[in-house]
Amino acid sequence: MPELPEVETVRIGLNENTLGWQIEGGEVLLPRAIAYPENSEAFLAAVIGAEFTEWQRRGKYLIAQLSQGDRLGVHLRMTGSLLWYDRDTAVGKHTRVRLFLKEKRKGKKEKKVGLKELRFDDQRTFGKVWWVPSHQPTESIITGLQNLGLEPFDPEFTSDHLAAKFSRTGRPIKTVLLDQETVAGIGNIYADESLFLGKIHPQKAANSLSLEQVISLRLGIIRSLSDGIAKGGTTFSSFQNVAGLKGNYINTAWVFRRTGQPCNVCGTLISRIKLGGRSTHFCSQCQSL
C-alpha cells in the first residue's frame, strides 16, 4: 500500500500538472470505486465544470480542492494510481475512473489550449474516490479522516506527544506505529525504516521506551519519510507517480526487504519476523531488544 512518501509524491505531481484544468466529462468504469455519492452518474454530474485549485494530503488520503468549493477525495489503498495522460492514450485494463480535462488560460478571454485525462487505475480494486459537497465537512463524507493521528511533519508532532501516545499501550512498537491514530501515514515500509534509524527493536513494548528512545524514534520517523519523499517513494510492486514512473527508495532502504543481507551499519545479516501478520525487517545488533 502506498504510504506517506508515495502519496506525497503523487500530491506534488498533481499540483504540478492539474491546477487550472477543468473537468469537462468523465467515465466510471468500475462503479464501486466511487464511495460517494453512491450513484456514478451523480458523481460525474457533481464534478463536471469544476477546476482543480489545489491538492492536499492527510495521512494516506489525497484531497483536491475544487473551484466551486467542493472537494475530491482519493485513497489509493493497495494498488491505486492517479495517472496524468494525453486524452488519446489507450485505456488500460485496470482503469476504474476517467476524468476528461481541458486547460484554460486566464485573460480577456478564456480559451481551450489542451486536452488531458486524469485516470484512477487500481488492479486490486480496493481504492476509493469521493466527491464532497461544499456545504459538508470533508470528514463527514470521508469518515476515515476522523481518527487520524498527527502528521509526522506537524510542529505538534513532538517527542512529548509521542511519549504520551506510547505510554498508553504495551503493544509492540512496530504495531503501534502502524496504527493511523498514532501517526498518520506510516505503513509497513517506513515503520521498519524508522525503527532501524531510531535503533529500536520492533518487538519492544511501546510503553517501555525511554524518553531518549522516543526522541531517537521521532527523528528516525522524520528522516525515513523525508528520504522516501526525496526518492519519489518506494516501488516494489505497483506504485507509480502521476507520470507512471516508479519510486527509487527501495534501492537505498536500510532494512526493508533486505532479509539476509548485511546491515549497512554493522554488517549483521538483516532478520525478518512476522509481527501482527506483517513482515518485519530489522538488524538484531543495531536494534537489540
Side-chain angles (χ1 to χ4, degrees), residues 26-83:
E27 183 180 14
V28 177
L29 301 174
L30 182 70
R32 72 171 182 269
I34 304 299
Y36 186 88
E38 294 182 1
N39 183 283
S40 298
E41 290 74 21
F43 169 80
L44 291 174
V47 300
I48 289 174
E51 293 181 32
F52 291 107
T53 62
E54 183 184 13
W55 285 87
Q56 300 170 336
R57 181 193 52 76
R58 180 70 174 102
K60 301 176 186 179
Y61 291 85
L62 288 160
I63 302 169
Q65 301 295 323
L66 303 177
S67 56
Q68 300 168 337
D70 303 342
R71 281 134 285 156
L72 186 72
V74 180
H75 199 304
L76 303 177
R77 300 294 180 187
M78 294 185 69
T79 58
S81 298
L82 283 171
L83 299 168

Side-chain angles (χ1 to χ4, degrees), residues 103-277:
E103 184 183 24
K104 289 186 174 181
R105 289 180 179 171
K106 304 297 182 180
K108 292 183 179 180
K109 184 178 180 181
E110 291 187 343
K111 182 177 66 174
K112 186 189 297 184
V113 297
L115 295 174
K116 285 283 189 177
E117 182 176 337
L118 184 63
R119 293 182 188 171
F120 178 57
D121 282 17
D122 187 12
Q123 181 178 354
R124 298 284 296 276
T125 73
F126 295 135
K128 296 295 180 184
V129 180
W130 296 259
W131 170 71
V132 183
S134 59
H135 64 277
Q136 292 188 246
T138 306
E139 293 81 4
S140 70
I141 301 297
I142 309 176
T143 56
L145 295 169
Q146 294 176 2
N147 298 316
L148 288 183
L150 287 177
E151 294 284 326
F153 300 111
D154 191 309
E156 296 184 12
F157 186 74
T158 63
S159 299
D160 288 340
H161 168 80
L162 273 183
K165 287 279 189 179
F166 295 161
S167 69
R168 300 169 189 163
T169 178
R171 291 181 297 165
I173 186 61
K174 165 72 180 287
T175 304
V176 174
L177 288 182
L178 294 177
D179 185 344
Q180 297 302 292
E181 294 187 25
T182 303
V183 188
I186 294 181
N188 205 43
I189 301 170
Y190 297 97
D192 283 357
E193 296 291 281
S194 299
L195 288 167
F196 175 81
L197 291 170
K199 300 181 180 180
I200 309 295
H201 194 285
Q203 292 179 301
K204 190 172 181 64
N207 59 8
S208 71
L209 268 64
S210 66
L211 181 58
E212 290 74 18
Q213 288 176 314
V214 174
I215 292 171
S216 181
L217 178 54
R218 174 183 170 274
L219 293 175
I221 291 170
I222 293 172
R223 179 179 172 185
S224 69
L225 295 175
S226 298
D227 289 348
I229 294 169
K231 294 289 185 179
T234 300
T235 299
F236 61 89
S237 58
S238 62
F239 170 72
Q240 52 189 327
N241 65 18
V242 296
L245 301 177
K246 296 181 177 181
N248 295 316
Y249 182 79
I250 194 68
N251 297 324
T252 58
W254 292 96
V255 291
F256 184 76
R257 292 222 163 181
R258 296 193 63 242
T259 306
Q261 299 180 43
C263 171
N264 291 327
V265 173
C266 71
T268 301
L269 300 185
I270 300 299
S271 300
R272 181 174 70 89
I273 58 173
K274 284 283 188 178
L275 188 58

